[in-house]
Amino acid sequence: MHSGASSQQSDHGKWTLSSSDDEEETSIKPSTSSSSSLSANRDSKDSMPQYPCSEARKASHKRKSNPVKFEEHAHSKGASPAKKLKSDKDDSGWCLSSSDEETKPSHKVKVKIEKDGVKKQPLDNQQGPSTQTHGKYKTPSDSQDPWDVLQAGEPFRFYLTKVNGVKPKYNAGALHIKDILSPLFGTLESSAQFNYCIHIPWLVKQYPEEFRKKPLLIVHGEKRESKAKLHEDAHPYENVRLCQAKLDIAFGTHHTKMMLLLYKEGLRVVIHTSNLIHEDWHQKTQGIWLSPLYPRIAEGASISAGEPVTNFRADLIAYLASYNSPSLKEWMDIIKQHDLSQTRVYLVGSTPGRYQGNDKEKWGHLRLRKILRENTSAIAGQESWPVIGQFSSIGSMGTDKTKWLHSEFRESLQTLGKGVTSLGKMDPPLHLIYPSVDNVRTSLEGYPAGGSLPYSIQTAQKQPWLHSFFHRWKAETSGRSRAMPHIKTYMRVSPDVQELAWFIVTSANLSKAAWGSFEKNGTQMFIRSYELGVLFLPSAFGLDKFSVKTNIYSRNESCESAFPVPYDLPPEHYSGKDRPWVWNIPYVNAPDTHGNIWCPS
């Protein structure tokens, strides 16, 4: 490749293509020591997560273990040692600049990798860098009664996870995984954990000691080396069984996050957005739907007596049946033995496959479309209400908005009742919330928070049109503006953001793999991944619409129809200088919350 650089300008930042010559000149050289080879081996092992996870997560873990410090030297004459990314898949060296002055820096930066003399702590004991600043705010071991939290969550039973580093009032209505598994919620007899990224030793420690030897089924999607690692982690625990979800379609994942908790007193279902690792329950914004405690159906009672108006029980059993696993057949039988009639949410799931005929509407965005068509009714003016999508990762959308986002997907999200309205006649605004580079840089975790926002440069550079839809992450209502979102939510809100037509919390990011896409001229639905979420409709709560709770932890707003949207409305559009966070490029022109820069490789 020739020397020099080319760039592509848009309203949402400059994409810079660096030459290989530049990469040679600006590579970062780590500090050396007399025991450098031994130290390097040890650091390499310490900087790797002790569980299977994505490349973005690995980069985050590496940078937490070996931070690269930012130091400003206004009079330095040396060249900036910013390391340019050169990915395995793309030798072009694309770089999304971390400031408008990336190509003409007004100052030089000096970076160093801190390795020697850094004391590594076990993951379970790590509090993250922010504890020095926020040490006075302790979670999750505070004194609040989980029962009070449950009561405060009625009638929606929608909660956020606790965040280390925010004021106590913002954790007063939140839950940690230890709260969910607390004996106060029931005497556990067995449980099943469905998830994507799982650290088994950490997970076992989240159970109360008296429950740690109870049967635990872990449903995962790992293959080959990652599967072997998971089995190795499970080996010391005789009570742990593993169930591998079949993933025969390329690029599919087992992304569902659900707990099935069988108690002596009954059954509970938890559908949430957190991976089963320390980091996801520490300083991120995550969502949880916690079911009521479902009692066993009385002897001789009709089985149908336990089915709610939302058909939740039948839909949950159908979702489990899609795994075609004997281990999950046991749980299907358990669910059939319990009364789920108090459930007021709808289940919206995805399972891998190609679906035709009536099966097309069982999963993905067509499942959401069907529920909205059959259980909502168009209210005058609502057809113009904006649709909001909020997520932590983004798939390939195609060359323009008509390929998927503004066609089949938006049509599902804007459905209201049985009236058929063409896209041309109904054109509600679509607002997408995804953290900007500055959101991540100023977050509680700093740049490493971007490891759970795995939007890649390879995908981003193919769809610059998408970024005009983007809005910043801002969550003053929940005290979580600096707790980067791993939660995924979608909703229909009134133009004055005072009312909601519906709200869904789900594991599904903004991708065709998660929500599905049409094939064969719309006669077939194609889905790659397992996903699960719950949909809140006003009709299931005896309402025409929800109002929006302005401050979700305010004791003054006790209206039962007020839904606790966990971030600020209306969303704030990206400024001209904002760029969407892309994980696999460096950000070196400005330090994060902890004085570090981001060099992912």
Side-chain angles (χ1 to χ4, degrees), residues 2-270:
H2 61 81
S3 181
S6 61
S7 65
Q8 179 177 327
Q9 184 73 45
S10 76
D11 291 338
H12 298 278
K14 184 182 293 183
W15 305 85
T16 304
L17 182 60
S18 306
S19 73
S20 56
D21 292 341
D22 289 337
E23 292 184 25
E24 284 293 322
E25 293 170 4
T26 59
S27 61
I28 297 175
K29 292 182 173 58
S31 58
T32 59
S33 67
S34 58
S35 57
S36 58
S37 61
L38 283 174
S39 175
N41 288 337
R42 184 174 62 251
D43 290 332
S44 175
K45 185 177 179 181
D46 289 341
S47 66
M48 292 296 290
Q50 299 304 301
Y51 45 83
C53 64
S54 67
E55 291 303 310
R57 294 269 185 172
K58 289 175 183 176
S60 174
H61 201 279
K62 178 180 178 181
R63 284 285 75 93
K64 283 183 178 179
S65 301
N66 300 302
V68 183
K69 284 293 178 186
F70 172 94
E71 293 183 14
E72 184 175 339
H73 290 272
H75 303 292
S76 170
K77 294 182 180 180
S80 168
K83 185 175 183 179
K84 305 296 183 185
L85 174 75
K86 195 171 187 179
S87 77
D88 294 335
K89 294 183 180 177
D90 182 0
D91 289 341
S92 62
W94 276 96
C95 172
L96 182 63
S97 61
S98 53
S99 82
D100 287 344
E101 294 76 41
E102 179 72 20
T103 54
K104 295 181 180 178
S106 59
H107 57 265
K108 307 298 181 183
V109 294
K110 177 184 176 182
V111 299
K112 64 181 181 182
I113 299 179
E114 294 193 339
K115 286 188 175 182
D116 300 330
V118 177
K119 183 178 181 182
K120 304 287 193 306
Q121 294 190 13
L123 188 62
D124 286 328
N125 294 329
Q126 284 181 356
Q127 292 298 309
S130 64
T131 51
Q132 291 181 355
T133 308
H134 304 281
K136 60 185 177 181
Y137 304 135
K138 302 287 187 181
T139 62
S141 57
D142 46 14
S143 57
Q144 70 174 10
D145 187 339
W147 276 111
D148 292 340
V149 178
L150 286 193
Q151 194 61 35
E154 293 290 355
F156 304 112
R157 309 189 68 87
F158 171 61
Y159 306 90
L160 300 181
T161 56
K162 293 180 181 178
V163 173
N164 192 302
V166 301
K167 292 179 180 180
K169 68 177 181 179
Y170 295 121
N171 281 325
L175 293 169
H176 187 265
I177 187 171
K178 286 187 175 179
D179 297 322
I180 297 170
L181 299 175
S182 164
L184 290 174
F185 286 7
T187 310
L188 193 71
E189 293 187 337
S190 64
S191 61
Q193 295 280 357
F194 296 67
N195 221 290
Y196 173 61
C197 186
I198 305 159
H199 187 205
I200 292 177
W202 178 86
L203 172 60
V204 170
K205 288 180 182 177
Q206 306 316 301
Y207 284 81
E209 197 163 351
E210 61 265 39
F211 298 157
R212 286 180 189 170
K213 293 187 178 180
K214 299 292 185 181
L216 167 59
L217 178 68
I218 295 176
V219 184
H220 67 93
E222 303 297 349
K223 297 179 181 179
R224 296 180 287 276
E225 293 88 352
S226 295
K227 179 182 176 183
K229 170 61 178 166
L230 204 63
H231 277 264
E232 180 185 330
D233 286 350
H235 185 70
Y237 307 99
E238 293 182 358
N239 59 309
V240 174
R241 287 189 300 150
L242 299 178
C243 172
Q244 181 183 14
K246 292 181 180 178
L247 287 166
D248 299 327
I249 299 173
F251 307 113
T253 61
H254 182 257
H255 205 237
T256 291
K257 295 165 180 70
M258 174 170 64
M259 306 181 194
L260 301 177
L261 306 173
L262 178 63
Y263 306 114
K264 184 178 180 181
E265 299 84 359
L267 173 72
R268 197 184 301 278
V269 179
V270 184

Side-chain angles (χ1 to χ4, degrees), residues 381-410:
Q382 265 192 347
E383 66 275 0
S384 64
W385 284 22
V387 173
I388 294 177
Q390 175 274 312
F391 38 82
S392 62
S393 188
I394 306 164
S396 179
M397 305 277 131
T399 53
D400 62 66
K401 67 181 184 179
T402 67
K403 295 297 185 289
W404 181 79
L405 180 70
H406 247 237
S407 52
E408 61 181 275
F409 186 60
R410 192 182 67 158

Side-chain angles (χ1 to χ4, degrees), residues 300-507:
S302 167
I303 293 291
S304 62
E307 188 66 62
V309 294
T310 63
N311 218 42
F312 182 89
R313 189 176 68 171
D315 291 334
L316 180 57
I317 291 170
Y319 175 78
L320 295 180
S322 73
Y323 287 80
N324 196 24
S325 164
S327 298
L328 293 177
K329 176 67 166 61
E330 298 173 22
W331 279 99
M332 291 162 61
D333 292 339
I334 289 170
I335 292 166
K336 290 174 183 176
Q337 295 163 10
H338 287 81
D339 180 354
L340 277 62
S341 60
Q342 295 304 304
T343 311
R344 298 162 85 175
V345 295
Y346 292 83
L347 195 72
V348 179
S350 293
T351 64
R354 288 179 162 89
Y355 305 98
Q356 297 180 338
N358 292 335
D359 287 345
K360 261 200 330 177
E361 294 187 323
K362 287 179 68 174
W363 314 111
H365 72 76
L366 282 190
R367 165 68 177 158
L368 176 61
R369 185 185 299 188
K370 182 175 189 284
I371 297 172
L372 293 176
R373 184 177 67 244
E374 295 179 352
N375 298 281
T376 63
S377 55
I379 297 174
Q382 265 192 347
E383 66 275 0
S384 64
W385 284 22
V387 173
I388 294 177
Q390 175 274 312
F391 38 82
S392 62
S393 188
I394 306 164
S396 179
M397 305 277 131
T399 53
D400 62 66
K401 67 181 184 179
T402 67
K403 295 297 185 289
W404 181 79
L405 180 70
H406 247 237
S407 52
E408 61 181 275
F409 186 60
R410 192 182 67 158
E411 185 171 348
S412 289
L413 269 62
Q414 69 184 25
T415 297
L416 283 172
K418 293 182 173 62
V420 179
T421 308
S422 70
L423 281 171
K425 293 180 181 178
M426 189 167 65
D427 193 25
L430 177 62
H431 304 313
L432 303 179
I433 298 175
Y434 178 75
S436 68
V437 173
D438 207 51
N439 277 151
V440 175
R441 183 180 69 83
T442 59
S443 69
L444 292 170
E445 296 176 87
Y447 286 128
S452 56
L453 301 165
Y455 190 27
S456 74
I457 187 68
Q458 290 80 8
T459 302
Q461 68 188 17
K462 294 175 184 175
Q463 49 196 35
W465 60 266
L466 177 64
H467 307 152
S468 63
F469 290 89
F470 282 176
H471 295 67
R472 293 170 61 89
W473 171 254
K474 188 179 179 186
E476 294 302 301
T477 181
S478 60
R480 284 161 171 76
S481 289
R482 296 177 63 219
M484 288 300 94
H486 192 256
I487 190 175
K488 295 90 173 154
T489 58
Y490 303 80
M491 72 179 92
R492 192 88 185 262
V493 65
S494 62
D496 64 1
V497 300
Q498 298 299 305
E499 297 172 329
L500 280 180
W502 54 265
F503 182 95
I504 184 171
V505 58
T506 174
S507 63

